[in-house]
Amino acid sequence: MSQLTTRQLTIRIGNQSVCNELNLTIEPGQVWGILGRNGAGKTTLLHTLAGLRPAESGEIMIDNTSLTQVPRKQLARKLGLLLQQTEESFPATVMETVLTGRHPHINNWSWESNEDVEIARKALDIVQLSNMQQRQVDQLSGGERQRVNIACLIAQAPELFLLDEPNSHLDLKYQILILNYMKQLSQKNGHGIIMSLHDIQLAQRYCSHVLLIFDEGRTSVGPCHELLNRDNLCELYQQPLLEIDSEIGPVFIPDTNS
């Protein structure tokens, strides 16, 4: 499985710094959560890690090779990105959409094989959309479309998953379903996962490591048990929090009396 590394990575949006000289290594089998306030640059960071936008400076490497030196089709077999928002440019069924995830594995000018179709079917089964294969995507709810997008990424079968708010539009049942599946991929198959999240408790429950994006490009990286504490989180979100002990560890909730 692939390893993703950044060296002295600096990213800016206009005059805003997302990160300054970030050194990060995502090892196979690790699940990373990106936490930060709205507008901190979580999406921009993921897009940069995926090679969709240039960094201000520094380097991104996959398996010790610069991301810019890896052919796009080869890169798509190593790294997959779940976008936060997608728009359908033309009418397509759920199955047709999920099959696009197989394109990095198909030779030019070739059609999808029976094996590709079976992989797509299994991906739809994972997200519990097997009964909607022939539905038009533009007829689905927001949550159903999100599950189609996740199925497409599962069918792509990258070694590294970059997920921009994977829980977006999903109700609690499907949030847990998807996060359980991603954690299983990391633990059993050694896939690396990095995802932006808004829920501290879910990050604590499912992630082995976190990347915290503070103001002015300051970041902290490390294991969850070291970084997810009341002091860091109060500073990160600029909101007083209460820490409550529970059977699964500390739970953080807003202190509405402060």
Side-chain angles (χ1 to χ4, degrees), residues 78-210:
K78 288 181 172 290
L79 186 154
L81 172 66
L82 176 71
L83 297 169
Q84 187 179 144
Q85 294 180 338
T86 59
E87 294 184 4
E88 310 304 326
S89 57
F90 56 89
T93 67
V94 167
M95 174 56 78
E96 289 168 341
T97 301
V98 175
L99 275 172
T100 63
R102 298 301 302 160
H103 289 178
H105 305 275
I106 299 172
N107 293 329
N108 293 338
W109 311 112
S110 297
W111 294 99
E112 298 91 351
S113 66
N114 291 335
E115 181 182 0
D116 293 318
V117 173
E118 184 58 28
I119 290 172
R121 284 175 177 160
K122 289 181 179 179
L124 285 170
D125 186 53
I126 289 167
V127 301
Q128 298 186 6
L129 285 176
S130 296
N131 61 334
M132 295 190 180
Q133 294 181 28
Q134 300 309 314
R135 285 274 299 275
Q136 294 290 314
V137 173
D138 60 6
Q139 297 175 356
L140 302 180
S141 69
E144 289 166 341
R145 288 193 190 194
Q146 179 75 341
R147 284 152 60 200
V148 169
N149 293 333
I150 293 170
C152 186
L153 188 61
I154 293 171
Q156 182 181 332
E159 297 181 13
L160 283 157
F161 286 76
L162 278 62
L163 311 174
D164 193 2
E165 296 190 22
N167 289 343
S168 177
H169 302 295
L170 298 182
D171 60 33
L172 187 58
K173 171 185 175 180
Y174 293 113
Q175 289 183 33
I176 301 306
L177 175 75
I178 298 305
L179 291 176
N180 279 341
Y181 178 74
M182 291 298 163
K183 188 171 184 178
Q184 181 183 34
L185 278 182
S186 69
Q187 291 179 338
K188 293 188 176 180
N189 300 339
H191 290 269
I193 315 287
I194 181 166
M195 53 187 171
S196 61
L197 294 168
H198 284 292
D199 191 311
I200 300 169
Q201 270 59 249
L202 290 179
Q204 187 175 47
R205 184 74 179 270
Y206 286 97
C207 298
S208 58
H209 296 72
V210 287

Side-chain angles (χ1 to χ4, degrees), residues 36 45 50 72-73 174 176 239 245 249:
L45 172 60
R72 294 303 304 183
K73 193 167 187 176
Y174 293 113
I176 301 306
Q239 165 65 43
D245 291 329

Side-chain angles (χ1 to χ4, degrees), residues 31-46:
V31 180
W32 283 76
I34 306 175
L35 299 180
R37 292 186 298 148
N38 290 340
K42 300 184 291 295
T43 293
T44 299
L45 172 60
L46 284 171

